[in-house]
Amino acid sequence: MDIIKREKLTGLYYFDYFKEEAQRIINESGKRLAIYSVNINDFTYINHKYGYQEGDRVLVRIAEWLLENKNVVVSSRAYSDHFFMLVDIGSADIEEIAVLEDISCCEFVRKMRKKYPLVAFDVSIGMYEVEENENISAVVDKAELARRADEPGDKSRVILFREELMEKEIIRKSVVPIFKNAIDDNRVTAFYQPKISTEDHALVGAEALARIIDENGRVLSPNQFVNQLEESSLILELDLYILEQVHKDMTEWMAQNKKLTPISVNLSRVDFYDDTFIDKIKDIVSRYSIDSGLIVFEVTETMFFEDLDYMIEQVTQIKNLGYKISLDDFGSGYSSLGMVSKLPVDEIKFDRSFVQNSLDSDKGIKVIKGLIDTIRDVDIDIICEGIEKLSEEKIIAECGCDVIQGYLYDMPLKKENFAYKYLNESQGE
């Protein structure tokens, strides 16, 4: 009878039985317990690069690792790459346990990255110390909250539950219904931030930035909803919506005889794992008479770091349709000139944090100048974003950067304000 309670691959309990057993132990054991929520981040990449059979081996290895040297009372593979454990922590301090688990996690991740070098292997763990007679559903939710917490540093980490995570979760859960209602009510829109030439301060382009207007009229910025929409895979719907909105706006501006400028549209890495994504782009652009040279697709450098060959193939398909590709956030994490040389990009945007950190010293300025010279030598354009001061613009211009984007010239503007301020020159002039 016990066999049917265990899933075949790892031999761990099915989740329903795990919850039943865990609840009984919490109520009856009198032990000091903690629950662990464990997830392999972006597990689909492993299946994609190494095949499903190798992916199964990874899941088995994860199960073995979790059960090593731990006072595990009951454990489960809840689904796919997601595991739970109820652990007897005895009299140990929960903070100290978290530190030890973090060390173990990092060591395991290093071994797995060595074995699977084609993927950015990461594991995230949430921990929660169970209260006496606490309901298992609440216990699981709290461990999950901790695991999903946005903490600085490496993705592979162990996070303890904290009460303030509850407030973040309320906000997180509200984003999806807010977005769906906003889509239905046409309250998702594009704001435009200009890109300015450092030589003559003329407009040379703009970036379309998504904004959601909630039912109370408040404008939500991307840092309030992008991560949540990526988690729920709704980011594809948002990105395609903004792409179409840009085409609608440009069509309207053409009818008004405005002088058009190239507009950048952001794409998420999640988009490229939808088999119909490229076809959906083609479908949208086919309905409008906007020259492909007026649309630039922005992708982040981390997208390539995680799955280089696949992403190059996907982005090249878009580039072959006649669109330019911009590499966003350069310098924010994994930048490599060796990698850049392989990428099908026409433009690189230096991340604000990278620029700011480099402008603090002569050495940093020399590094930026050297990078700009090297990148321009291979016919890739450069934009420095997040520029807020004239002194910053002066240094950046002296380093050879021709285009800046930032609050020095303008914040993201509603389409009407952007058109009035920047597109009033007639196309015929």
Side-chain angles (χ1 to χ4, degrees):
M1 184 67 178
D2 189 51
I3 295 176
I4 64 170
K5 296 175 182 176
R6 296 178 181 271
E7 59 103 5
K8 197 170 183 179
L9 182 64
T10 65
L12 301 182
Y13 285 121
Y14 287 114
F15 192 45
D16 285 343
Y17 181 71
F18 166 82
K19 289 192 292 183
E20 181 182 322
E21 265 301 284
Q23 187 68 71
R24 183 188 63 78
I25 294 166
I26 291 169
N27 294 342
E28 299 175 4
S29 71
K31 295 178 179 179
R32 204 162 149 251
L33 303 165
I35 190 166
Y36 295 29
S37 169
V38 183
N39 188 69
I40 307 172
N41 298 321
D42 298 321
F43 181 67
T44 53
Y45 294 150
I46 297 174
N47 284 332
H48 176 75
K49 298 300 291 186
Y50 291 96
Y52 287 92
Q53 188 173 8
E54 195 62 35
D56 285 347
R57 292 193 184 100
V58 171
L59 295 173
V60 172
R61 183 65 191 95
I62 284 279
E64 292 171 347
W65 165 62
L66 293 175
L67 296 175
E68 288 174 359
N69 303 317
K70 291 188 173 76
N71 297 316
V72 178
V73 181
V74 63
S75 55
S76 169
R77 181 165 79 105
Y79 55 87
S80 184
D81 58 336
H82 203 137
F83 299 78
F84 286 94
M85 297 188 302
L86 190 66
V87 179
D88 180 357
I89 60 175
S91 60
D93 181 80
I94 189 69
E95 300 268 358
E96 293 177 1
I97 292 174
V99 171
L100 293 174
E101 295 293 358
D102 197 55
I103 294 171
S104 173
C105 179
C106 290
E107 183 179 351
F108 176 75
V109 165
R110 279 195 295 271
K111 291 178 181 177
M112 297 301 280
R113 285 178 177 173
K114 186 175 182 180
K115 185 172 179 60
Y116 301 101
L118 299 180
V119 296
F121 189 94
D122 285 300
V123 175
S124 55
I125 301 176
M127 289 177 57
Y128 170 67
E129 183 175 351
V130 183
E131 296 182 4
E132 186 177 355
N133 295 323
E134 192 168 4
N135 181 273
I136 186 61
S137 295
V139 167
V140 166
D141 287 347
K142 290 175 181 177
E144 281 283 82
L145 274 178
R147 182 186 62 79
R148 290 197 303 264
D150 293 325
E151 296 286 340
D154 200 317
K155 290 182 181 179
S156 297
R157 73 281 190 273
V158 176
I159 304 296
L160 275 174
F161 173 82
R162 304 183 306 275
E163 287 296 335
E164 56 263 33
L165 293 178
M166 279 294 187
E167 184 176 347
K168 288 185 179 181
E169 179 67 359
I170 292 170
I171 295 172
R172 188 187 74 82
K173 286 188 173 180
S174 69
V175 163
V176 169
I178 287 174
F179 171 70
K180 289 182 176 179
N181 289 333
I183 284 283
D184 292 341
D185 297 341
N186 294 316
R187 287 185 283 104
V188 177
T189 188
F191 278 35
Y192 296 91
Q193 186 172 34
K195 300 174 183 179
I196 303 295
S197 166
T198 57
E199 181 178 359
D200 58 8
H201 299 163
L203 179 78
V204 295
E207 179 179 1
L209 296 159
R211 295 291 188 268
I212 296 175
I213 316 297
D214 71 12
E215 292 180 347
N216 297 315
R218 291 174 299 188
V219 179
L220 305 184
S221 60
N223 63 359
Q224 294 176 284
F225 57 78
V226 166
N227 288 342
Q228 288 74 22
L229 295 184
E230 284 186 339
E231 286 179 7
S232 61
S233 296
L234 287 171
I235 195 70
L236 173 60
E237 185 176 353
L238 173 67
D239 290 345
L240 292 173
Y241 186 97
I242 293 299
L243 176 61
E244 180 148 25
Q245 186 63 55
V246 167
H247 279 76
K248 287 179 179 178
D249 291 346
M250 295 182 87
T251 300
E252 181 181 320
W253 293 333
M254 285 177 62
Q256 297 169 352
N257 206 34
K258 304 282 188 186
K259 182 177 181 180
L260 300 186
T261 190
I263 303 292
S264 298
V265 178
N266 290 284
L267 299 180
S268 165
R269 64 182 178 81
V270 176
D271 298 339
F272 291 94
Y273 288 91
D274 182 299
D275 293 338
T276 64
F277 175 54
I278 304 297
D279 290 334
K280 288 174 180 175
I281 288 180
K282 291 178 181 178
D283 179 59
I284 289 173
V285 301
S286 69
R287 298 197 294 269
Y288 300 89
S289 300
I290 301 299
D291 189 284
S292 60
L294 290 170
I295 301 293
V296 180
F297 287 104
E298 290 198 11
V299 296
T300 62
E301 62 167 9
T302 52
M303 288 167 51
F304 292 97
F305 177 82
E306 291 169 342
D307 203 345
L308 181 60
D309 293 339
Y310 177 77
M311 291 307 303
I312 287 177
E313 177 187 343
Q314 296 298 304
V315 171
T316 299
Q317 287 189 54
I318 296 177
K319 188 173 172 63
N320 288 342
L321 295 175
Y323 298 97
K324 289 187 175 181
I325 305 296
S326 177
L327 185 68
D328 198 9
D329 295 340
F330 183 81
S332 62
Y334 304 110
S335 302
S336 161
L337 285 177
M339 184 182 75
V340 168
S341 66
K342 301 176 182 179
L343 304 185
V345 300
D346 305 282
E347 171 186 287
I348 288 178
K349 293 180 74 173
F350 280 22
D351 182 71
R352 169 171 170 73
S353 61
F354 175 62
V355 173
Q356 295 300 312
N357 292 335
S358 299
L359 297 184
D360 288 340
S361 66
D362 291 340
K363 182 184 290 187
I365 293 172
K366 288 179 181 177
V367 167
I368 282 209
K369 187 179 187 309
L371 284 172
I372 290 174
D373 289 343
T374 300
I375 293 170
R376 289 180 65 181
D377 279 347
V378 292
D379 296 323
I380 296 177
D381 296 328
I382 293 174
I383 295 177
C384 288
E385 60 180 341
I387 303 301
E388 298 180 353
K389 301 176 182 177
L390 284 170
S391 58
E392 295 172 352
E393 181 193 31
K394 182 175 183 296
I395 296 173
I396 286 299
E398 290 172 350
C399 288
C401 180
D402 295 327
V403 180
I404 65 169
Q405 179 181 343
Y407 280 21
L408 173 62
Y409 285 97
D410 240 324
M411 64 181 70
L413 301 169
K414 293 180 179 179
K415 72 169 185 177
E416 298 85 359
N417 297 341
F418 174 76
Y420 176 78
K421 189 170 183 179
Y422 292 100
L423 304 181
N424 272 331
E425 184 182 352
S426 170
Q427 293 184 76
E429 292 180 2

